[in-house]
Amino acid sequence: MEIVYLAITLAPLIGAATVGLFGRRLGRQRSHRVTIAAVSLSCLLSLFVLSRFAWGELEPYNETVYTWAVAGGLHMEIGFLIDPLSALMMAVVTFVSLMVHIYTIGYMHDDAGYQRFFSYINLFTFAMLMLVMANNFLQLFFGWEAVGLVSYLLIGFWFTRESAVFASLKAFLVNRIGDIGFLLGIALLLAYFGSLDYQQVFAAAQAQPAQMITVLPGLNWSVITFACILLFVGAMGKSAQIPLHVWLPDSMEGPTPISALIHAATMVTAGIFMVARMSPLFELSDTALSVVLIFGALTAFLMGLVGLVQNDIKRVIAYSTLSQLGYMFVALGASAYAVGIFHLMTHAFFKALLFLAAGAVIVALHHEQDMRKMGNLRRYLPITHLTMLMGTLALVAAPLFSGYYSKDLIIEAVHEAHRGGATLAYWLVLLSVYVTALYSFRLYFLVFWGKERIDPHAKEHMAHLPRYVLRAMEWPLILLAIPSVVIGYLTVEPLVFGDFFGQALFVAEPHDVLHEMGRSFHGSWSFALHAVAGPALYLALAGFLSAWFFYMVRPGLLPSIRDRFATLYTILARKYGFDELYIDGIAASSRSVARLLWQVGDARLIDGMMVNGTARTIGRFAAMIRGLQTGYLYHYAFVMILGLLVLLTWFIGDWRGWFV
């Protein structure tokens, strides 16, 4: 099987290198064929591996591929850990990536950077596969940083746009902040447990759970708690949790296909996967789990509220992603790791569907993204309309749709959890159900129903859009809509209440909320019927009715409501002031301090006194000496005679005694 695992990983890398180096010679059609063939091979092999784990025909694989370096007793290796958790992630990553590759043929059909884009998204897939298949922290960190690098290239893909350049730089810098914590967490585990290998670290931590570290004089913390919180700081950056969330909405400056790839199945899910993979460590620290729980719940609710006031179709879905990532962290913080990964999987399908459907709308309207300039598009884009409706129903957790099973289980899991912050988290994720339904159906009604507000030029462009472009975008929508509807119903029992994950996810017995929930689970159908007994269904229905009333029945009420709640609207429109804090506050202050240090230290002290000052002093002394060099022979003769007289006076006379 090692050959299969290597093929899964290396196929996208070879595709990226081939098109990146020879894309111009290959041309557009051959370039997308090479990259799609590469990711198709990875996808088919990943599905093969997943199916064998599902049928119990494959044992976990944990081996070193090669040793990169040895320093003392530390082995730095490249290796694979293939178990049900990584197999599921491999299948999700490659399938969504394949859909994005096919969709890109239509979306980027007239873009000058066509081959470059295909090379980048192949490379992105390789980086994510290296991350989820790693069996050690070194390779994990490589994949972690590689997805960050490629996301920088993709967000700023249209580098002639100043906004895209700014957004890519913002994403890169914010992720570096989180990565400092991530790297420190890895270093701390290495220092105390002496290895970078997952299994060795987990075993050492289980054997020595009470080790302490002095964080500050007089302040001692558990090593495991401190390391887990540092690792979670990295997850906050990569998976965009408050307060390191600010990069993700701005990443919409990149082409829509990469928005789907980043937000659905790759970069932003890396933090979720990492915490789940580190469950043997997090289970040893209730404090770390409470931190994960609270930050996840705050992100789920507060970012959903911001989505209510966005008018850019992609940004609404981006804030939805932030909110749903918060749900996943809530599940992890409640020790319901299987539910968190389950929601990651269902969310990957319906969120990719929503982004790609939004991209189809944008292309049809000649790159118009303002929902206020849309309306009644179901007449012109029937397939996009139906598939986006399916994605919306999955997102708002309509019974029987995939999102219902994963989201409702998260709400129940946090309700059953007995952990600090669980009560607050429960109410926040419950209220988020209403908020999610409100912004989701607001988008749906503004785009596909109501009065037609389409610009005449956009309408003309839509009428002349080549049919092959629409077909290339519609097939991925259909293929993503299918799992968005049925995947939750088909897989909830084995993934959540069965033994699919086995030893891949560790839950301490006192924290096992899923065991308690499993007693009342009697199959997918009965669980769907159980929706009428809980508050989530009625909150989602209330959100739907609110959106229908305000955007379809009485849209004229919205200006007066906005005026009445002007302060709240301003806070949400300004996204709680995080951008102002970081850009006008921290960044501006840093620039001011840097400018002062430059003026005082660099310009005056180093340049003024040491570098330029030394040069000026030597120059002045040289000018004085140069003045003695007149070029006249009698001047030199006079100096020689004068020197001779001084020497005679010194040696013949008694002047030496004066100086002794």
Side-chain angles (χ1 to χ4, degrees), residues 113-349:
Y114 190 83
Q115 293 98 315
R116 179 165 56 94
F117 189 82
F118 273 99
S119 175
Y120 285 173
I121 55 179
N122 245 211
L123 187 61
F124 201 99
T125 306
F126 160 75
M128 191 65 188
L129 287 171
M130 287 292 286
L131 189 156
V132 301
M133 296 170 69
N135 71 347
N136 61 83
F137 286 99
L138 175 68
Q139 186 175 328
L140 174 70
F141 187 71
F142 166 77
W144 194 270
E145 293 302 308
V147 293
L149 171 63
V150 185
S151 70
Y152 168 79
L153 297 174
L154 285 165
I155 294 169
F157 181 79
W158 287 320
F159 52 82
T160 55
R161 298 182 184 177
E162 185 177 353
S163 57
V165 174
F166 178 80
S168 62
L169 184 61
K170 187 177 183 180
F172 192 81
L173 292 176
V174 171
N175 272 276
R176 296 294 72 72
I177 295 170
D179 291 350
I180 291 172
F182 187 62
L183 188 58
L184 289 174
I186 293 174
L188 185 61
L189 292 173
L190 174 62
Y192 276 82
F193 301 121
S195 177
L196 290 171
D197 183 84
Y198 289 162
Q199 301 304 327
Q200 292 182 26
V201 171
F202 296 161
Q206 295 285 342
Q208 308 171 57
Q211 287 201 69
M212 304 298 289
I213 182 174
T214 301
V215 180
L216 293 172
L219 178 62
N220 296 323
W221 269 28
S222 162
V223 169
I224 294 174
T225 296
F226 194 43
C228 287
I229 290 176
L230 287 172
L231 292 175
F232 178 62
V233 171
M236 290 170 70
K238 200 66 69 183
S239 295
Q241 298 295 286
I242 289 176
L244 300 180
H245 65 284
V246 293
W247 68 269
L248 191 139
D250 287 355
S251 70
M252 296 299 99
E253 291 294 335
T256 300
I258 197 55
S259 300
L261 198 56
I262 289 177
H263 290 225
T266 52
M267 181 171 170
V268 296
T269 61
I272 310 296
F273 167 80
M274 185 272 293
V275 174
R277 176 61 82 194
M278 299 299 130
S279 58
L281 297 178
F282 279 85
E283 283 298 292
L284 298 174
S285 174
D286 280 347
T287 302
L289 287 171
S290 291
V291 170
V292 174
L293 183 70
I294 292 170
F295 275 95
L298 288 171
T299 304
F301 181 66
L302 295 176
M303 294 300 104
L305 289 177
V306 178
L308 292 172
V309 300
Q310 299 297 309
N311 295 312
D312 185 311
I313 185 172
K314 287 173 63 177
R315 285 183 179 266
V316 174
I317 304 174
Y319 279 101
S320 168
T321 300
L322 287 168
S323 182
Q324 297 307 305
L325 290 168
Y327 270 95
M328 297 175 208
F329 276 114
V330 167
L332 301 177
S335 293
Y337 300 99
V339 178
I341 296 298
F342 182 48
H343 192 51
L344 184 157
M345 179 192 71
T346 61
H347 174 264
F349 295 121

Side-chain angles (χ1 to χ4, degrees), residues 365 368 370-375 377 446 453-455 458:
L365 297 181
E368 178 58 67
D370 192 335
M371 296 187 298
R372 295 169 296 184
K373 298 179 181 179
M374 299 180 187
L377 283 175
L446 283 175
R453 303 175 299 277
I454 306 171
D455 183 89

Side-chain angles (χ1 to χ4, degrees), residues 589-606:
S589 300
S590 300
R591 286 196 299 270
S592 299
V593 171
R595 193 178 296 112
L596 177 64
L597 292 175
W598 174 78
Q599 291 175 347
V600 175
D602 194 57
R604 296 184 181 179
L605 179 62
I606 297 175

Side-chain angles (χ1 to χ4, degrees), residues 329-412:
F329 276 114
V330 167
L332 301 177
S335 293
Y337 300 99
V339 178
I341 296 298
F342 182 48
H343 192 51
L344 184 157
M345 179 192 71
T346 61
H347 174 264
F349 295 121
F350 65 72
K351 187 52 60 69
L353 172 60
L354 289 171
F355 267 116
L356 297 185
V361 170
I362 293 168
V363 168
L365 297 181
H366 200 41
H367 297 283
E368 178 58 67
Q369 297 183 198
D370 192 335
M371 296 187 298
R372 295 169 296 184
K373 298 179 181 179
M374 299 180 187
N376 204 29
L377 283 175
R378 71 186 188 281
R379 292 177 51 197
Y380 306 102
L381 303 169
I383 294 178
T384 302
H385 165 241
L386 289 175
T387 53
M388 196 161 199
L389 176 59
M390 293 177 187
T392 300
L393 290 172
L395 174 60
V396 303
L400 293 176
F401 283 78
S402 62
Y404 164 75
Y405 292 96
S406 54
K407 186 185 285 189
D408 213 64
L409 284 172
I410 291 174
I411 296 171
E412 291 199 20

